[in-house]
Amino acid sequence: IPLLRRALAMSKRPLLLFASPWTAPAWIRSNGDVRGKGTLKGKAGDKYHKTWANYFIKFLDEYAKRNVTFWAVTAQNEPLAGLLTPPQAPTIAFTAAQQRDFIAQDLGPALARSPHRTRLLMLDDQRIHLPHWAKVVLGNATAARYVAGLAVHWYLDAIVPPGCSLEATHKLFPDHFLLYTEACTGFFTFR
C-alpha cells in the first residue's frame, strides 16, 4: 500500500490498478491446501463459491479504507495452469465453464451489489485459449453482462497467431476489450 500510494502520488494522470487472485484459502479448496492442483470445493452458487466471491469484495473494501481503489479484478490468474502447476504453486484450476458459472452466479452479482465500480476481467491466461474461452463465458448472457473485458498473457504468442485468437475473439465480442495483463522476459530459462 505505501508503494501504491507513492506511485499514485507521482503519476501525472490516474493509475488504473487491477488485481488478480492466485488462490483461495485452503479450507474452500478441493485439495485442502493453497498450493498445488485444486479447485474450489462444490459448484457455482454454493457456500464455497459465494465465500470466495465475498473475499474479492472484502479485498476491495480493505484497500478502499486505505484510499486505494481498483479499476478491475480478474476472476482468476491462469485458471488452466492450475491443472499443470508444480506442487508448490498457489493456484485454482477453472475450466471455461466453471469460470462462466462462477462469474454468472457468484462473482458478478457480488461485485454488482458492492459499492465498488470495479470492472471484471475474465480468462487472465494465455491467448491460446481464445476464442474458445470467450465463446463459453461470453456466450452466456448472464456472465457476459458482468464481464468488461478479457485479460490475456503473452507467453505462448509464438504458437497462436493473433488473427486466430485476439482478432477472432474481438470479431465475436466487439463490446469486450482485450488487455494484456501479464508478460515478462526470461520466462524460458534456456534463453
Side-chain angles (χ1 to χ4, degrees), residues 18-187:
F18 79 93
S20 185
W22 280 59
T23 189
W27 71 272
I28 62 174
R29 286 178 38 104
S30 62
N31 67 347
D33 194 338
V34 296
R35 299 161 300 174
K37 294 178 178 72
T39 62
L40 290 178
K41 288 180 182 176
K43 61 182 183 174
D46 69 12
K47 66 180 181 179
Y48 301 109
H49 287 71
K50 297 233 178 286
T51 297
W52 182 226
N54 287 331
Y55 265 80
F56 282 74
I57 306 309
K58 294 288 186 189
F59 168 86
L60 295 170
D61 289 345
E62 290 303 313
Y63 272 86
K65 287 178 188 175
R66 290 150 181 87
N67 295 317
V68 177
T69 58
F70 286 83
W71 167 73
V73 294
T74 74
Q76 175 61 38
N77 179 62
E78 296 187 353
L80 283 180
L83 301 173
L84 311 168
T85 189
Q88 297 304 312
T91 187
I92 303 172
F94 276 100
T95 64
Q98 289 168 326
Q99 189 173 85
R100 173 200 62 213
D101 296 345
F102 175 58
I103 288 170
Q105 297 180 43
D106 305 296
L107 184 55
L111 280 169
R113 284 190 307 269
S114 81
H116 308 286
R117 295 303 98 207
T118 306
R119 290 172 173 87
L120 177 58
L121 308 181
M122 56 162 278
L123 184 59
D124 207 15
D125 209 331
Q126 311 308 318
R127 79 175 188 207
I128 197 170
H129 305 303
L130 294 174
H132 167 74
W133 200 279
K135 288 178 183 177
V136 172
V137 178
L138 298 178
N140 177 284
T142 303
R145 174 173 89 221
Y146 295 116
V147 174
L150 292 84
V152 185
H153 297 182
W154 80 332
Y155 305 109
L156 302 177
D157 280 5
I159 297 172
V160 178
C164 298
S165 56
L166 301 177
E167 188 176 339
T169 302
H170 177 67
K171 284 181 180 177
L172 289 168
F173 304 101
D175 295 333
H176 292 82
F177 61 83
L178 296 157
L179 178 70
Y180 270 124
T181 55
E182 184 178 320
C184 73
T185 57
F187 172 66

